Amino acid sequence: MGIEFPNRVGLAAGLDKNGDYIDALGQLGFGHLELGTVTPKPQPGNPQPRMFRVKPADAIINRMGFNNEGVDHLVERLEARRYSGVVGANIGKQKDTPVDRAAADYLICLEKVYPHCDYVAVNISSPNTENLRQLQDSGHLRELLEAIVRAGNDHAETFGGKCPIVVKIAPDWEDAALTGALETIAASGVDGLNATNTTISRDAIAGLPHADEAGGLSGAPLLQPANRVLKKCREVLGDSFPIMGSGGIMSGGDAVAKIAAGADVVQLYTGFIYNGPNLVHDCAHAICKEYAHVE
Ligand SMILES: Cc1cc2nc3c(=O)[nH]c(=O)nc-3n(C[C@H](O)[C@H](O)[C@H](O)COP(=O)(O)O)c2cc1C
């Protein structure tokens, strides 16, 4: 994507939704930070409780629902940052915007964050905004990505520089639908992919406390399903398409497995909650040891 990452381990979207902690998070050794998801206007998200630890499974279920202060707040925080590392801005649609008008929300956010970050992530895969995942269906997807790529090209001229655009997808797919979506993504002109967001499946945690809460499941039980989707993405998109890998990394070994499955860089969220900042170093070091022959 034209970005030089200082290491392959980033912070996944959703932990710093508003960009309020960029400088602090930037001190923890991440090779990049992905901020957001933000929407055009502030919104409160779902009623609490909306986040649950499923401790015996090293997992989290969340249904936050894009609680955020709005894109203008994020832009202010980006402008005020001292952190000079790689920053992505993850954008979404307002809860009450119908799916067939979603593009307008993404375009508002895209234009505002475009000159202030190193890449933009288009989130069409949160399970917690009603019907959002419909944007992954072929017709909607083609239309949305065409509009976003066209606007991105205009902004590159206006702002005098290109900001790459990444699409973040879900792990929950029928094989044929995934292949179709990937072909649409490849043809659209977007610059990269993030696989994957949280899963709506509960197969791996059936019977555990909180297993029946609505929302997206992340952490250890997501590693295998996310890696299966990631492998398919690499197969369909080819060797040179930039892919960010997210989902279930709880150890350095998991980070290595994520790279082996096809990711160019990886991201952490739930593992960071359970294991703390040492995990960032463990993952970066394990990847270096495995792939760059660096101790
Ligand atoms: C509490 C919580 C909030 C999240 N919010 C967002 C979000 O706003 N946007 C987004 O793209 N992903 C969001 N995610 C998904 C993460 O970015 C990540 O893709 C997913 O959790 C899988 O990685 P993990 O298993 O390391 O947590 C959220 C995850 C959690 C646990």
Side-chain angles (χ1 to χ4, degrees):
M1 298 195 289
I3 300 172
E4 199 164 312
F5 291 88
N7 68 51
R8 289 179 192 260
V9 184
L11 176 70
L15 190 131
D16 189 3
K17 288 181 188 273
N18 298 309
D20 286 335
Y21 309 106
I22 302 175
D23 292 334
L25 290 166
Q27 297 297 310
L28 299 180
F30 288 109
H32 71 279
L33 305 176
E34 190 168 311
L35 310 166
T37 299
V38 289
T39 54
K41 288 177 287 176
Q43 62 176 28
N46 289 323
Q48 294 179 357
R50 56 192 182 182
M51 175 159 42
F52 308 86
R53 288 192 191 217
V54 187
K55 283 189 187 162
D58 280 345
I60 290 176
I61 292 172
N62 93 84
R63 51 169 178 269
M64 304 299 286
F66 292 171
N67 55 306
N68 78 105
E69 299 291 334
V71 65
D72 292 332
H73 176 97
L74 175 62
V75 167
E76 276 173 31
R77 302 308 304 156
L78 286 167
E79 282 177 323
R81 76 188 187 270
R82 285 182 289 171
Y83 172 67
S84 60
V86 177
V87 163
N90 181 309
I91 61 175
K93 79 162 191 73
Q94 219 77 44
K95 173 187 163 77
D96 53 10
T97 301
V99 165
D100 55 7
R101 281 195 267 136
D105 280 13
Y106 288 94
L107 293 179
I108 290 169
C109 293
L110 179 72
E111 180 171 15
K112 291 192 174 183
V113 299
Y114 198 91
H116 300 288
C117 58
D118 298 290
Y119 71 92
V120 178
V122 176
N123 182 4
I124 50 172
S125 50
S126 166
N128 302 316
T129 292
E130 208 186 333
N131 298 334
L132 188 83
R133 285 184 173 190
Q134 282 181 14
L135 294 170
Q136 297 183 136
D137 300 346
S138 52
H140 281 129
L141 187 61
R142 187 170 307 109
E143 223 172 275
L144 176 69
L145 296 185
E146 264 173 22
I148 285 177
V149 168
R150 203 179 314 119
N153 291 340
D154 290 348
H155 300 331
E157 282 202 12
T158 311
F159 297 119
K162 183 179 159 61
C163 182
I165 295 169
V166 170
V167 182
K168 184 168 179 182
I169 64 167
D172 308 306
W173 292 93
E174 301 285 339
D175 262 359
L178 175 58
T179 305
L182 292 171
E183 284 164 355
T184 302
I185 288 168
S188 70
V190 298
D191 305 281
L193 179 80
N194 187 328
T196 70
N197 213 311
T198 56
T199 179
I200 53 172
S201 165
R202 295 292 186 271
D203 293 351
I205 61 159
L208 294 181
H210 302 305
D212 294 332
E213 293 289 351
L217 173 69
S218 59
L222 179 57
L223 184 69
Q224 295 314 325
N227 284 359
R228 266 198 299 278
V229 168
L230 172 58
K231 266 188 195 146
K232 182 78 180 173
C233 294
R234 181 51 78 203
E235 248 172 63
V236 175
L237 296 171
D239 286 346
S240 60
F241 196 87
I243 302 181
M244 313 179 89
S246 147
I249 298 176
M250 312 302 283
S251 69
D254 295 343
V256 168
K258 188 73 81 184
I259 300 283
D264 296 301
V265 299
V266 303
Q267 295 183 331
L268 317 175
Y269 190 141
T270 305
F272 181 65
I273 301 305
Y274 275 95
N275 299 329
N278 280 343
L279 181 62
V280 184
H281 172 270
D282 288 353
C283 291
H285 189 74
I287 292 167
C288 272
K289 225 174 141 187
E290 186 77 15
Y291 288 97
H293 310 290
V294 174
E295 280 304 313

